[in-house]
Each structure stands twice: as C-alpha cells, then as structure tokens.
Amino acid sequence: PGLQEVVILHGADESFNVVRVCLTGEDATVRLRGVVLRGFVLDDRGGQAGVDEQDCSVIRRVEVSTNKSAKKFLTDGRLDTCWQSDGRSGQHWVRMHVEVDAVVTGLAIQINSHDGNYCPSLVDVFVGEVPSSLK
C-alpha cells in the first residue's frame, strides 16, 4: 500500500564501524519508516559466529541529524512509525554504528510513497572506521 524497502547496498562483504546515510528531499523535511543494516559477526577465529544468524541486524547505535527523540522508530521494526527530520537543517542524515567485528552485507531504507515530498529524492551513503573519516 505504498510501503517500500529500497535496497541501497546488497551483497557487500566489508567490515567498517560507521555507516552514514545522507538524505535530500524535495521538501525541507524528510521521513524514513526504518533502516535495515544486515550482516554477520565474526568469531574470535575470524569465522562467522552463529551461521544460522547470517542475515541479522548489525546496528549497535543510531544517531540522527535532527529530531533525536524519534530515532527509535528507525529500528523498531514497525512501518506505521517513522523518523522525520525537523526541516531546520539543510542536510539530513542517519548514522549507524556497527557491532564490533561485524561484516556488513546489506543496507536498506524503508519509505512510504504516500509520504509524497517527505520521501528522500537523493540518498548518499558513506562508510568508514570513525565518523570523521567517512568516504
């Protein structure tokens, strides 16, 4: 009914600590129904820990550019809730800190096409070891 998961990254096999998704919309405000960062965690020997859990969430912590009280809705698994930027910032972003020793295999954002101009029209993804060195 308008709810969509937009796959941004699929089939990756890289290890990094931070993922930042920058969002631009037609309006000053953007709205996301959720973020999904999938991967697996390496065990002490460098192998995959919990083979049955290959496609699990590897988000340790989430930060947002604005409207910090609503960031919990990005990872609550419900599509009837959302994070909406407050429109005061020219650049909106969601930064996810990855679980220690995790390998990221996929990234997706969840949107609702009925949100109209609040849907992001441009999405840029940056990754790295620390927030100050994202590429």
Side-chain angles (χ1 to χ4, degrees), residues 85-109:
S85 67
D86 68 11
R88 286 181 266 168
S89 172
Q91 181 180 3
H92 309 290
W93 51 264
V94 175
R95 184 167 42 223
M96 293 157 281
H97 294 261
V98 180
E99 292 287 352
V100 177
D101 296 326
V103 174
V104 174
T105 59
L107 169 64
I109 59 172

Short mmCIF file of all heavy atoms in Angstrom, two decimals, residues 85-109:
data_model
loop_
_atom_site.label_atom_id
_atom_site.label_comp_id
_atom_site.label_asym_id
_atom_site.label_seq_id
_atom_site.Cartn_x
_atom_site.Cartn_y
_atom_site.Cartn_z
N SER A 85 12.82 14.30 9.94
CA SER A 85 13.71 15.41 10.28
C SER A 85 12.86 16.63 10.60
O SER A 85 11.70 16.72 10.19
CB SER A 85 14.66 15.70 9.12
OG SER A 85 13.94 16.19 8.01
N ASP A 86 13.44 17.58 11.32
CA ASP A 86 12.64 18.75 11.69
C ASP A 86 12.71 19.87 10.66
O ASP A 86 12.08 20.90 10.83
CB ASP A 86 13.00 19.25 13.09
CG ASP A 86 14.40 19.86 13.16
OD1 ASP A 86 15.02 20.08 12.11
OD2 ASP A 86 14.85 20.12 14.28
N GLY A 87 13.46 19.67 9.58
CA GLY A 87 13.46 20.64 8.49
C GLY A 87 14.35 21.85 8.70
O GLY A 87 14.47 22.68 7.82
N ARG A 88 14.96 21.98 9.85
CA ARG A 88 15.82 23.13 10.11
C ARG A 88 17.21 22.97 9.52
O ARG A 88 17.92 23.92 9.37
CB ARG A 88 15.93 23.38 11.61
CG ARG A 88 14.65 23.97 12.17
CD ARG A 88 14.81 24.21 13.62
NE ARG A 88 14.29 23.02 14.30
CZ ARG A 88 14.46 22.75 15.56
NH1 ARG A 88 15.16 23.55 16.32
NH2 ARG A 88 13.96 21.68 16.09
N SER A 89 17.59 21.77 9.20
CA SER A 89 18.93 21.51 8.68
C SER A 89 18.86 21.32 7.17
O SER A 89 17.94 20.72 6.65
CB SER A 89 19.48 20.25 9.33
OG SER A 89 20.67 19.87 8.74
N GLY A 90 19.87 21.82 6.46
CA GLY A 90 19.91 21.63 5.02
C GLY A 90 20.28 20.21 4.64
O GLY A 90 19.92 19.72 3.59
N GLN A 91 21.02 19.54 5.50
CA GLN A 91 21.44 18.16 5.23
C GLN A 91 20.93 17.27 6.36
O GLN A 91 21.21 17.52 7.52
CB GLN A 91 22.95 18.07 5.15
CG GLN A 91 23.44 16.68 4.85
CD GLN A 91 24.96 16.62 4.77
OE1 GLN A 91 25.65 17.59 4.98
NE2 GLN A 91 25.47 15.43 4.49
N HIS A 92 20.18 16.26 5.99
CA HIS A 92 19.64 15.32 6.97
C HIS A 92 20.43 14.03 6.87
O HIS A 92 20.81 13.62 5.77
CB HIS A 92 18.16 15.06 6.69
CG HIS A 92 17.37 16.32 6.55
ND1 HIS A 92 17.11 17.16 7.61
CD2 HIS A 92 16.81 16.91 5.47
CE1 HIS A 92 16.41 18.19 7.19
NE2 HIS A 92 16.22 18.07 5.90
N TRP A 93 20.69 13.39 7.99
CA TRP A 93 21.45 12.16 7.95
C TRP A 93 21.06 11.23 9.09
O TRP A 93 20.54 11.65 10.11
CB TRP A 93 22.95 12.41 7.98
CG TRP A 93 23.45 13.31 9.08
CD1 TRP A 93 23.69 14.65 8.98
CD2 TRP A 93 23.74 12.95 10.44
NE1 TRP A 93 24.12 15.14 10.20
CE2 TRP A 93 24.16 14.12 11.11
CE3 TRP A 93 23.68 11.76 11.16
CZ2 TRP A 93 24.52 14.13 12.45
CZ3 TRP A 93 24.05 11.77 12.49
CH2 TRP A 93 24.46 12.94 13.12
N VAL A 94 21.34 9.96 8.85
CA VAL A 94 21.20 8.90 9.85
C VAL A 94 22.55 8.20 9.90
O VAL A 94 23.07 7.77 8.86
CB VAL A 94 20.10 7.89 9.46
CG1 VAL A 94 20.05 6.74 10.44
CG2 VAL A 94 18.74 8.58 9.35
N ARG A 95 23.14 8.13 11.07
CA ARG A 95 24.44 7.47 11.24
C ARG A 95 24.25 6.23 12.09
O ARG A 95 23.69 6.31 13.18
CB ARG A 95 25.45 8.43 11.87
CG ARG A 95 26.83 7.83 11.96
CD ARG A 95 27.91 8.84 12.30
NE ARG A 95 27.53 9.79 13.32
CZ ARG A 95 27.80 11.11 13.26
NH1 ARG A 95 28.41 11.62 12.22
NH2 ARG A 95 27.45 11.89 14.24
N MET A 96 24.72 5.10 11.58
CA MET A 96 24.61 3.83 12.29
C MET A 96 26.00 3.35 12.68
O MET A 96 26.88 3.28 11.83
CB MET A 96 23.91 2.79 11.42
CG MET A 96 22.45 3.12 11.17
SD MET A 96 21.82 2.33 9.68
CE MET A 96 22.47 3.43 8.44
N HIS A 97 26.16 3.03 13.94
CA HIS A 97 27.41 2.45 14.41
C HIS A 97 27.22 0.93 14.39
O HIS A 97 26.22 0.41 14.88
CB HIS A 97 27.73 2.95 15.82
CG HIS A 97 28.03 4.42 15.84
ND1 HIS A 97 29.31 4.91 15.85
CD2 HIS A 97 27.21 5.49 15.82
CE1 HIS A 97 29.26 6.23 15.84
NE2 HIS A 97 27.99 6.61 15.82
N VAL A 98 28.19 0.25 13.81
CA VAL A 98 28.09 -1.18 13.54
C VAL A 98 28.64 -1.98 14.72
O VAL A 98 29.59 -1.56 15.39
CB VAL A 98 28.88 -1.51 12.24
CG1 VAL A 98 28.81 -2.98 11.90
CG2 VAL A 98 28.36 -0.66 11.09
N GLU A 99 28.05 -3.15 14.96
CA GLU A 99 28.54 -4.05 16.00
C GLU A 99 30.02 -4.36 15.79
O GLU A 99 30.49 -4.44 14.65
CB GLU A 99 27.76 -5.38 15.98
CG GLU A 99 26.31 -5.26 16.39
CD GLU A 99 26.13 -5.03 17.88
OE1 GLU A 99 27.10 -5.11 18.65
OE2 GLU A 99 24.99 -4.76 18.28
N VAL A 100 30.73 -4.54 16.88
CA VAL A 100 32.15 -4.87 16.82
C VAL A 100 32.33 -6.20 16.08
O VAL A 100 31.56 -7.14 16.28
CB VAL A 100 32.74 -4.96 18.25
CG1 VAL A 100 34.19 -5.38 18.22
CG2 VAL A 100 32.58 -3.62 18.96
N ASP A 101 33.33 -6.28 15.21
CA ASP A 101 33.66 -7.48 14.43
C ASP A 101 32.53 -7.92 13.49
O ASP A 101 32.40 -9.10 13.18
CB ASP A 101 34.05 -8.65 15.35
CG ASP A 101 35.32 -8.37 16.12
OD1 ASP A 101 36.21 -7.70 15.58
OD2 ASP A 101 35.42 -8.82 17.28
N ALA A 102 31.73 -6.97 13.04
CA ALA A 102 30.64 -7.31 12.12
C ALA A 102 31.07 -7.04 10.67
O ALA A 102 31.86 -6.14 10.40
CB ALA A 102 29.40 -6.51 12.44
N VAL A 103 30.54 -7.83 9.77
CA VAL A 103 30.72 -7.64 8.34
C VAL A 103 29.36 -7.28 7.77
O VAL A 103 28.38 -8.01 7.95
CB VAL A 103 31.27 -8.92 7.67
CG1 VAL A 103 31.32 -8.76 6.15
CG2 VAL A 103 32.65 -9.24 8.22
N VAL A 104 29.27 -6.13 7.11
CA VAL A 104 28.00 -5.65 6.56
C VAL A 104 27.76 -6.30 5.21
O VAL A 104 28.63 -6.32 4.35
CB VAL A 104 28.03 -4.11 6.43
CG1 VAL A 104 26.78 -3.61 5.72
CG2 VAL A 104 28.17 -3.46 7.79
N THR A 105 26.55 -6.84 5.03
CA THR A 105 26.18 -7.47 3.76
C THR A 105 25.07 -6.73 3.04
O THR A 105 24.83 -6.99 1.87
CB THR A 105 25.74 -8.93 3.99
OG1 THR A 105 24.63 -8.94 4.88
CG2 THR A 105 26.89 -9.76 4.56
N GLY A 106 24.37 -5.84 3.73
CA GLY A 106 23.28 -5.13 3.07
C GLY A 106 22.79 -3.93 3.86
O GLY A 106 22.91 -3.87 5.08
N LEU A 107 22.24 -2.96 3.13
CA LEU A 107 21.67 -1.76 3.72
C LEU A 107 20.42 -1.40 2.94
O LEU A 107 20.43 -1.42 1.71
CB LEU A 107 22.67 -0.61 3.65
CG LEU A 107 22.17 0.80 3.98
CD1 LEU A 107 21.73 0.89 5.43
CD2 LEU A 107 23.25 1.83 3.69
N ALA A 108 19.35 -1.08 3.65
CA ALA A 108 18.11 -0.65 3.00
C ALA A 108 17.44 0.41 3.85
O ALA A 108 17.63 0.46 5.07
CB ALA A 108 17.16 -1.84 2.81
N ILE A 109 16.68 1.28 3.19
CA ILE A 109 15.83 2.22 3.90
C ILE A 109 14.39 1.87 3.59
O ILE A 109 14.09 1.33 2.52
CB ILE A 109 16.13 3.69 3.52
CG1 ILE A 109 15.93 3.94 2.02
CG2 ILE A 109 17.51 4.09 3.98
CD1 ILE A 109 16.01 5.41 1.63
#
